[in-house]
């Protein structure tokens, strides 16, 4: 197909490289005259590199490089060679995008399909000023386009039937994975990603742990490639904060998506992350960045007697030794250590919480209360570290760090499913491809047990009183029925 890409910046270049590699002819245009030749050289250099590294045949790279056509104006008529598709990747501004498409509508035949790569604007609003809004849909790529295999296909309210299907087929034929997503704030991936980061900020707001500890727990207990703060440093906190606000505002301040007060001042101070060399971590010369050495808690007695409360800690393998000064370890599942102390009359100074989710992972997570004595903390660390596990110590909270992050990821994802924003399988695929999580959130909940996730959220909601943790009906119904969370909505008779 002949594809015109307008906007030859970061995304336009990536989309161009992907499209010529897949065999399409790509016209490139930009408002800045110098941007087009720069983008053509950039894409040719990337193709050259792919050929040099053997990732692409030499002849294919040459052919793809020759399929790039520089245009002097986005509005070039094209005549008999008019493009079948225009993909817009210009400034993220509604007026700019709407004006571009109305100009393109005048210049190009009615058969040319329009696609916008907007990440946060409404596709419907971008198309609203067109004479024929039916020809436009969203085609949301991720950066870097050649490596990020996911593309969200977003029909607007007025998009004609057949247009999203055509775009999805083109994406699939060209080697990427399309998912169809309703025109809603954040679409799918940026909405699903709010579960992790808003909860990470909530943990920080409540001083449950510092950001390096939260990142370590996210990596080691949940198996995420990157902790939430590390990730925000990579994405740029300015970008993340704006997405958090857009999604929260767009969903009319739904509690589940509530952002923290914390990012605003950090953004104003320029603590954006890697691109400004300072974010949650420092990235200057010789700085360790997120690879910060972990503080060690030494001097504890690994042989101290331990009393385990309840059944949730069986995985610890520690014998139940009745001893007067035994440490008391309680499992926290949406609950706090302090609540267990109060309910069961446990000795506060030597009672600590253990996150059952952390058992069976490389890192065990202990929770301490304001009443826990220092010796008990050191001994508990030594006991939990006995068989070579890393141990994190966090402050008492309902649930624990990993539980709260996972509960939020799952609850937000089930909210997406229940609003019909995307099909359940597509939610899981998009999150694994777009966010790099080890599992799709719905399948992840099923692995842990949807009934357990439901009890976790219910306990969190009850102890905190925060409606943020109210489990969605999607989750509640499927857990009650013993069905996988990926079970789609039942059809209804017309
Ligand atoms: P960018 O600033 O790198 O590139 C934008 C390009 O558009 C520039 O070359 C600019 O000169 C050109 N431009 C601006 N107004 C124009 C106009 N009226 N006509 C023609 N050209 C114009 O930006 P980017 O990061 O490539 O983002 C482009 C779009 O893609 C935005 O809508 C953005 O939200 C979206 N997006 C970005 C990312 C990302 O990670 N960067 C990911 C997904 C989607």
């Amino acid at each position: 197909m002949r594809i015109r890409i307008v906007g030859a910046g970061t995304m336009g270049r990536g989309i161009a490289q992907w499209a010529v590699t897949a065999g399409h002819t790509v016209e490139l245009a930009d408002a800045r005259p110098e941007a087009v030749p720069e983008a053509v050289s950039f894409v040719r250099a990337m193709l050259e590199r792919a050929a040099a590294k053997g990732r692409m045949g030499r002849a294919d790279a040459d052919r793809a490089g020759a399929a790039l056509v520089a245009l002097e104006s986005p509005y070039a008529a094209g005549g008999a060679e008019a493009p079948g598709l225009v993909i817009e990747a210009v400034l993220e501004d509604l007026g700019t995008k709407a004006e571009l498409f109305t100009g393109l509508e005048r210049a190009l035949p009615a058969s040319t399909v329009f696609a916008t790569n907007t990440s946060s604007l409404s596709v419907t609003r971008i198309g609203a000023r067109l004479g024929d809004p039916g020809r436009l849909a969203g085609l949301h790529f991720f950066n870097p386009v050649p490596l990020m295999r996911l593309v969200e296909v977003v029909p607007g309210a007025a998009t004609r039937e057949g247009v999203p299907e055509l775009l999805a087929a083109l994406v699939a034929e060209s080697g990427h994975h399309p998912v169809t997503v309703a025109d809603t704030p954040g679409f799918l991936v940026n909405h699903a990603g709010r579960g992790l980061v808003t909860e990470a900020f909530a943990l920080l707001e409540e001083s449950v742990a510092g950001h390096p500890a939260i990142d370590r727990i996210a990596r080691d207990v949940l198996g995420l490639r990157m902790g939430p703060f590390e990730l925000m440093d990579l994405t740029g906190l300015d970008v993340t904060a704006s997405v958090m606000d857009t999604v929260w505002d767009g969903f009319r301040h739904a509690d589940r998506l509530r952002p923290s007060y914390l990012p605003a001042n950090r953004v104003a101070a320029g603590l954006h992350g890697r691109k400004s060399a300072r974010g949650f971590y420092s990235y200057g010369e010789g700085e360790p960045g997120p690879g910060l050495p972990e503080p060690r808690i030494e001097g504890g007695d690994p042989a101290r007697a331990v009393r385990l409360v309840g059944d949730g800690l069986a995985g610890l393998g520690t014998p139940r030794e009745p001893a007067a000064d035994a440490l008391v370890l309680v499992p926290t599942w949406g609950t706090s250590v302090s609540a267990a102390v109060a309910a069961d009359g446990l000795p506060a100074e030597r009672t600590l919480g253990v996150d059952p989710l952390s058992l069976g992972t490389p890192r065990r997570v202990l929770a301490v209360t304001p009443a826990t004595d220092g010796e008990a903390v050191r001994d508990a660390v030594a006991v939990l570290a006995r068989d070579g596990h890393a141990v994190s110590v966090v402050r008492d909270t309902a649930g624990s760090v990993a539980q709260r992050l996972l509960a939020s990821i799952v609850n937000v994802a089930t909210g997406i499913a229940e609003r019909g924003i995307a099909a359940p399988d597509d939610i899981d695929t998009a999150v694994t491809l777009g966010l790099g999580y080890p599992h799709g959130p719905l399948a992840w909940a099923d692995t842990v047990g949807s009934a357990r996730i439901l009890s976790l959220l219910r306990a969190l909601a009850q102890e905190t009183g925060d409606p943020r943790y109210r489990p969605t009906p999607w989750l509640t119904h499927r857990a009650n029925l013993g069905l996988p969370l990926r079970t789609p909505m039942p059809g209804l008779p017309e």
Side-chain angles (χ1 to χ4, degrees), residues 77-175:
E81 290 233 290
L85 169 67
V86 178
I87 304 176
E88 161 283 307
V90 305
L91 194 70
E92 184 73 347
D93 173 72
L94 181 62
T96 307
K97 289 184 191 289
E99 190 184 319
L100 174 73
F101 282 120
T102 46
L104 286 166
E105 190 173 46
R106 283 192 295 272
L108 294 173
S111 56
T112 302
V113 168
F114 293 164
T116 170
N117 183 46
T118 182
S119 37
S120 63
L121 300 169
S122 150
V123 170
T124 306
R125 286 188 206 173
I126 293 173
R129 278 205 246 152
L130 288 177
D132 174 16
R135 72 198 298 190
L136 181 129
L139 202 54
H140 184 213
F141 290 84
F142 294 82
N143 187 27
V145 178
L147 297 181
M148 295 292 289
R149 291 189 45 241
L150 183 74
V151 185
E152 295 178 334
V153 177
V154 187
T159 304
R160 200 173 11 265
E161 205 181 314
V163 169
E165 292 77 1
L166 179 139
L167 294 174
L170 173 92
V171 167
E173 282 158 18
S174 307

